[in-house]
Amino acid sequence: MIFYKSEEQIDLIKISADLLGRAHAEVAKLVLPGVSTKTLDKMAFEFITDNSGKPSFKGYRGFPASLCISLNDQVVHGIPSDQVLKEGDIVSIDCGVKLNGFHSDSAYTYKVGMVSSEVDRLLSVTKDSLYQGIDAAKSGARIGDIGFAVQSFVERNGFSVVRELVGHGVGKELHESPEVPNFGKRGKGLKLLEGLVIAIEPMVNFGSRSVLQESDGWTIRTIDRKPSAHYEHTVVIRKGGPEILTTFKYIEEVLN
Ligand code: MG
Ligand code: MG
């Protein structure tokens, strides 16, 4: 079942997404060597709840935290812990907020201090692939056009796309239909219609696309132990083109 959103509902998702963007920025301020991933999670929880929101991930299928924090070879779904960030790490931070009955979902990968130029390129290609996917999310296009755009861009740049995890519809539920793969064929899959709200979230590996789940039952990591990056926006399909509802504006104010 696909739930197309009204303008009123899209406005509510935008309000949720604004709080999410500001929560990400509070966390971004703490992305420094020596800071534990638990500290980042605590900041997100406090900021979201202080602003009347609910962290979407906490308790979701038993997930114990407000953030998924995935370091280096971890792709997604890392659990915050006492582990501290160190110079040269990359860290993917995924967060969701529920506010006024609606979820929003976004993710950003950070450099901790200086990273190698190749890892830097992994991050910029992954982020650019997100915008390639968003550009393809035009009214009347198909889900496969999004995946094709992401996959072809990533592979042209020498990296690989994770297939086991995908984007999704967003609304009253954190994960709604349809699934939004980051790979696919042009012109295939569900037709994108106005009012469809989806999270587009490429997970891009430096080496092989193969991943496994750690014994904690959550963390996904690369099999070859090479790094992986993840960026995500929640987007609405509009007649005139896709509109991004989440924002990296607050994060990038902190980083610049
Ligand atoms: Mg997410
Ligand atoms: Mg998501």
Side-chain angles (χ1 to χ4, degrees), residues 57 94-96 105-107 168 201 230 232:
F57 300 172
D94 193 353
C95 189
D105 189 5
S106 73
H168 49 91
E201 49 176 317
H230 180 213
E232 175 181 29

Side-chain angles (χ1 to χ4, degrees), residues 76-77 161-166 179 182-183 203 205 209-212 220 223:
V76 286
H77 302 169
V161 165
V162 173
R163 304 200 183 186
E164 288 78 357
L165 300 120
V166 296
E179 291 193 342
N182 298 298
F183 61 95
M203 289 148 258
N205 291 353
R209 70 175 174 84
S210 305
V211 298
L212 57 75
I220 306 293
I223 288 183

Side-chain angles (χ1 to χ4, degrees), residues 163-176:
R163 304 200 183 186
E164 288 78 357
L165 300 120
V166 296
H168 49 91
V170 181
K172 289 182 179 165
E173 301 296 330
L174 174 63
H175 293 138
E176 296 185 350

